[in-house]
């Protein structure tokens, strides 16, 4: 009993973790299923077919590559624009600073569907054709705030004396920025970029409103929930999970090693 | 803990370095801001204005819409769809409470007890972000399936009797009931609760815990008087990050619920994309925005963390 009481937090915590991981386990298990009907909700028999032919479903891999392209471009643009805003907000005093801060905060404090609907109202009123470009515009818009938040947090904790020291050593403004400021801000920028990529790649609500007939991967999954879910969707889901875990673990290992070498 | 081992970090001064320079240099922040702010003005603020104008239009898709300052739409929308509004707030509120209840022990575990497992646990919290959330939500259909193991166990333990009595489930089903929708919402937004909680817990100096112990505080007292108050910023931002998106969500209600569990997001979605009644849809999403902004403002005032952002 005492052991139980002492480890209550650990037990509850691991319980929550199990709750969070359970769907991923189900997705993985059902990627080896061989369903009889159109839906992959009940276990039938073990099969490797879907793994041998992940692109065997019409249009699925096309939607996947479209989502990757959109996420990549949204990340590049949102990270560039967001980093500039973050630096301006932290490093300079200027009028309208408060207004800019609230403008950045508002998209995060609003249900996604409100932004999705209002963008649709704009595009409809202006007669703009919905598709790749409207999706990209929308994704850059909502990723921007998250990049600003991530980069701002990092730049705020930076010691400005490092830059002063660089300037004292006769580094020009450009040299100071490239050799000192940017490397220190890099983790924040990387976090913002990673978050943008994940948010854009996985976005459904805003895309649902502003995609017209263009089908991104989440849109494909949504459609398949009505028409019948191919097993290949689970294969992609499993692969994404494994890749994500490996990438994040690798990133942390690199970070740890760098920390160790810095301490020596 | 790094807090005790690492030397104290130099505090950055609150005021940024003052750039007293030429007019050209004074324009630098504006040039940095220009592209991003322009983007937000054109694709965030302008759309809101368009939506405001749409909400006071009348007409039909065939004849075209016209601004007639028809505020009646707001009243009609509110009277017709108030059950969906209430349901959204109720589901989102319940999911937020559950997220806090479930998320806190895990955040605490990662921050204080995980030791060398900390990184792995963090990865497991973040990794679901990268698997499509729609695929994972569909997996809940399998988990909660009628006659499946989960329903069977809940039934044997008479949990379903209690939830039926509460109106959360019907008979021996979980799918297509409010419980399934709340379960999906809780699941989907848990990481948004855990990460801010973890961040604020991790900042707590563990020496405070030792000090509380030295002063004969029991672990529960230490938690109530030291740990929890210090984690308030995380609690506030976690609940906001959970409640706001959950209140506008329609994916969980659509995939795991039934017509009886429709949330306001489902209504807005079908008004905009199926029924094509744009004025009503615009009015509905403005009402939702107003409700959420008012609740958030009041909540932040109450919680006393106005310098949160």
């Amino acid at each position: 009993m005492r052991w139980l009481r002492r480890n209550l937090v650990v037990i509850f915590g691991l319980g929550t973790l199990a709750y969070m991981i359970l769907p991923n386990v189900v997705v993985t298990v059902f990627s080896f299923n061989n369903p009889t009907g159109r839906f992959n909700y009940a276990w039938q028999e073990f099969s490797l077919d879907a793994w041998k032919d992940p692109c065997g479903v019409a249009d699925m891999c096309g939607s996947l590559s479209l989502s990757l392209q959109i996420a990549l471009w949204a990340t590049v643009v949102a990270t560039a624009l967001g980093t500039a805003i973050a630096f301006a907000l932290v490093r300079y005093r200027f009028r309208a600073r408060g207004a800019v801060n609230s403008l950045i905060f508002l998209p995060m404090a609003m249900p996604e569907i409100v932004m999705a609907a209002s963008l649709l109202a704009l595009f409809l009123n202006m007669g703009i054709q919905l598709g790749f470009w409207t999706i990209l515009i929308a994704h850059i818009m909502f990723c921007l705030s998250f990049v600003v938040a991530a980069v701002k947090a990092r730049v705020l904790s930076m010691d400005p004396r490092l830059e002063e020291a660089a300037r004292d050593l006769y580094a020009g403004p450009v040299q100071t920025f490239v050799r000192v400021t940017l490397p220190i801000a890099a983790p924040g920028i990387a976090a913002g970029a990673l978050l943008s990529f994940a948010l854009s790649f996985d976005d459904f609500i805003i895309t649902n409103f502003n995609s017209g007939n263009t089908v991104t991967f989440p849109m494909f999954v949504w459609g398949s929930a009505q028409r019948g879910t191919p097993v290949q969707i689970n294969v992609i889901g499993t692969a994404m999970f494994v890749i994500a875990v490996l990438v994040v673990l690798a990133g942390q290992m690199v970070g740890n090693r760098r920390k160790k070498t810095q301490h020596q | 803990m790094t807090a005790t081992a690492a030397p104290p970090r130099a505090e950055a001064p609150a005021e940024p370095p003052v750039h007293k320079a030429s007019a050209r240099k004074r324009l630098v922040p504006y040039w940095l801001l220009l592209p991003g702010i322009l983007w937000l003005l054109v694709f965030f603020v302008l759309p809101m204005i368009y939506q405001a104008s749409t909400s006071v239009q009348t007409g039909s898709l065939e004849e075209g819409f016209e601004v007639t300052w028809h505020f009646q739409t707001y009243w009609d929308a509110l009277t017709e769809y108030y059950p969906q509004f209430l349901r959204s707030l109720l589901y989102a509120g319940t999911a937020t409470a559950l997220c806090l209840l479930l998320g806190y022990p895990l955040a605490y575990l990662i921050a204080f007890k995980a030791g060398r497992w900390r990184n792995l646990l963090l990865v497991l919290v973040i990794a679901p972000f990268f698997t499509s959330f729609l695929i994972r939500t569909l997996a809940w259909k399998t988990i909660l399936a009628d006659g499946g193991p989960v329903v069977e166990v809940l039934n044997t333990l008479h949990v379903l009797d209690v939830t039926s009595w509460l109106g959360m489930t019907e008979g021996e089903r979980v799918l297509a009931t409010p419980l399934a929708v709340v379960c999906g919402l809780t699941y989907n937004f848990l990481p948004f609760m855990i990460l801010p909680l973890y961040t604020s817990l991790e900042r707590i100096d563990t020496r405070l815990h030792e000090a509380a112990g030295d002063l004969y505080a029991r672990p529960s007292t230490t938690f109530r008087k030291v740990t929890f108050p210090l984690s308030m910023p995380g609690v506030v931002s976690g609940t906001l990050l959970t409640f706001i998106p959950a209140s506008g969500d329609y994916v969980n209600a659509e995939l795991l619920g039934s017509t009886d569990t429709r949330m306001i997001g489902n209504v807005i979605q079908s008004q905009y994309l199926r029924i094509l009644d744009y004025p009503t849809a615009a009015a509905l999403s403005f009402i939702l925005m107003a409700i959420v902004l008012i609740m958030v403002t009041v909540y932040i005032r109450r919680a006393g963390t106005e310098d949160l952002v």
Side-chain angles (χ1 to χ4, degrees):
Chain A
M1 260 339 259
R2 266 189 74 187
W3 177 88
L4 202 68
R5 261 182 61 184
R6 191 167 296 165
N7 291 295
L8 214 56
V9 175
V10 178
I11 294 164
F12 269 102
L14 291 178
T16 302
L17 197 64
Y19 176 68
M20 293 180 74
I21 301 295
L22 182 63
N24 286 93
V25 175
V26 171
V27 169
T28 308
V29 170
F30 278 75
S31 72
F32 298 105
N33 191 15
N34 185 15
T36 44
R38 287 185 299 140
F39 290 94
N40 184 20
Y41 293 141
W43 180 258
Q44 301 293 336
E45 58 173 352
F46 183 85
S47 150
L48 279 172
D49 293 352
W51 280 93
K52 281 184 205 142
D53 186 18
C55 282
V57 190
D59 303 332
M60 190 185 72
C61 283
S63 71
L64 196 62
S65 97
L66 181 70
S67 274
L68 286 172
Q69 280 172 44
I70 290 174
L72 207 64
W73 284 115
T75 303
V76 169
V77 179
T79 307
L81 300 184
T83 305
I85 293 179
F87 268 97
L89 282 174
V90 178
R91 285 302 165 82
Y92 297 91
R93 297 269 140 192
F94 52 90
R95 282 149 161 250
R97 200 158 161 272
V100 170
N101 258 323
S102 346
L103 182 62
I104 302 291
F105 175 64
L106 265 178
M108 292 192 282
M110 207 164 273
E112 221 185 319
I113 193 167
V114 177
M115 288 188 282
S118 68
L119 260 175
L120 179 62
L122 173 86
F123 292 141
L124 284 174
N125 271 293
M126 297 203 130
I128 294 171
Q129 182 79 38
L130 298 175
F132 180 86
W133 291 104
T134 53
I135 301 175
L136 186 58
I137 284 170
H139 284 202
I140 293 170
M141 187 270 289
F142 73 75
C143 287
L144 201 53
S145 300
F146 289 93
V147 174
V148 175
V151 178
K152 228 173 95 178
R154 178 74 190 179
V155 179
L156 266 174
S157 70
M158 259 167 78
D159 189 345
R161 283 176 299 188
L162 290 171
E163 285 158 303
E164 280 162 32
R167 251 176 257 127
D168 287 347
L169 296 166
Y170 297 105
V174 177
Q175 214 179 353
T176 310
F177 184 77
V178 175
R179 306 282 295 262
V180 179
T181 316
L182 212 54
I184 304 178
I189 299 172
L194 207 62
L195 196 60
S196 291
F197 189 86
L199 286 172
S200 163
F201 185 77
D202 208 16
D203 179 74
F204 172 71
I205 293 181
I206 287 185
T207 313
N208 186 212
F209 273 75
N210 295 294
S211 60
N213 297 321
T214 309
V215 180
T216 63
F217 185 65
M219 295 293 299
F220 180 85
V221 177
W222 176 257
S224 75
Q226 268 103 42
R227 293 188 312 265
T229 43
V231 187
Q232 277 81 353
I233 281 183
N234 290 46
V235 174
I236 303 295
T238 311
M240 283 188 328
F241 182 72
V242 173
I243 292 170
V245 171
L246 291 179
V247 167
V248 180
L249 278 180
Q252 284 194 334
M253 268 189 215
V254 172
N256 281 351
R257 185 164 304 164
R258 196 170 292 162
K259 233 182 251 164
K260 261 182 206 151
T261 49
Q262 268 171 5
H263 277 296
Q264 276 162 6
Chain B
M1 283 299 294
T2 48
T4 47
R9 218 178 346 162
E11 288 291 321
E15 289 291 309
V18 183
H19 293 258
K20 274 187 246 156
S22 59
R24 221 186 73 201
K25 260 198 173 157
R26 243 183 298 136
L27 284 176
V28 169
Y30 297 103
W31 285 115
L32 286 173
L33 288 172
L34 190 68
I37 294 303
L38 213 57
W39 198 282
L40 283 180
L41 287 177
V42 176
F43 298 117
F44 178 72
V45 178
L46 191 63
M48 290 292 164
I49 297 169
Y50 265 102
Q51 195 172 27
S53 106
T54 306
S55 71
V56 290
Q57 290 174 349
T58 43
S60 64
L61 204 60
E62 293 82 41
E63 295 158 16
F65 293 94
E66 211 181 323
V67 177
T68 51
W69 301 106
H70 190 261
F71 282 106
Q72 185 72 26
T73 313
Y74 277 87
W75 182 248
D76 293 342
L78 201 54
T79 46
E80 189 174 352
Y81 295 109
Y82 77 90
Q84 281 85 347
F85 272 114
L86 288 179
R87 202 177 286 142
S88 303
L89 299 179
L90 183 68
Y91 288 0
T94 315
T96 307
L98 283 172
C99 278
L100 185 59
L101 221 61
L102 293 172
Y104 208 103
L106 183 54
Y108 191 94
L109 169 71
I110 301 175
F112 297 127
K113 306 213 160 192
R116 59 202 188 87
W117 298 102
R118 184 191 259 192
N119 283 352
L120 182 71
L121 292 182
L122 269 180
V123 170
L124 288 177
V125 170
I126 301 168
F129 271 118
F130 292 85
T131 313
S132 175
F133 85 101
L134 282 168
I135 300 180
R136 288 179 285 122
T137 309
L138 283 173
W140 278 104
K141 272 192 136 147
T142 307
I143 300 168
L144 299 175
D146 295 343
V150 173
V151 173
E152 206 87 326
V153 168
L154 291 178
N155 207 19
T156 321
L157 294 173
H158 294 285
V159 174
L160 289 187
D161 295 342
V162 180
T163 51
S164 291
W165 181 74
L166 285 169
M168 296 289 283
T169 53
E170 280 163 48
E172 294 184 9
R173 292 202 77 183
V174 171
L175 261 190
T177 66
L179 182 67
V181 179
V182 171
C183 169
L185 285 171
T186 309
Y187 167 75
N188 270 316
F189 297 109
L190 251 174
F192 296 93
M193 178 67 84
I194 292 173
L195 292 177
L197 278 178
Y198 165 74
T199 317
S200 68
L201 283 171
E202 192 230 21
R203 277 197 206 126
I204 298 176
D205 191 338
T206 40
R207 283 175 297 186
L208 290 171
H209 291 165
E210 289 160 24
D214 288 347
L215 296 167
Y216 298 105
R218 282 150 44 109
S220 59
T221 318
T222 307
F223 178 77
R224 215 179 56 233
K225 298 237 165 168
V226 179
T227 316
F228 191 75
L230 285 173
S231 69
M232 266 319 270
V235 174
V236 173
S237 52
T239 41
L240 288 179
L241 282 173
T242 319
F243 181 80
I244 296 170
S247 63
D249 182 77
Y250 58 88
V251 175
N252 288 284
E254 176 88 28
L255 294 181
L256 303 173
S258 68
T259 46
D260 295 333
T261 60
R262 279 162 61 91
M263 294 167 68
I264 197 62
N266 302 74
V267 179
I268 297 175
Q269 193 247 12
S270 73
Q271 293 279 351
Y272 252 119
L273 302 180
R274 280 187 220 147
I275 304 169
L276 306 177
D277 180 356
Y278 298 134
T280 306
L284 283 171
S285 75
F286 261 111
I287 298 171
L288 175 66
M289 180 175 91
I291 294 175
V292 168
L293 284 183
I294 290 169
M295 289 180 76
V296 166
T297 314
V298 171
Y299 177 68
I300 292 181
R301 285 268 158 80
R302 273 281 170 87
T305 43
E306 275 174 80
D307 49 5
L308 196 68
V309 283

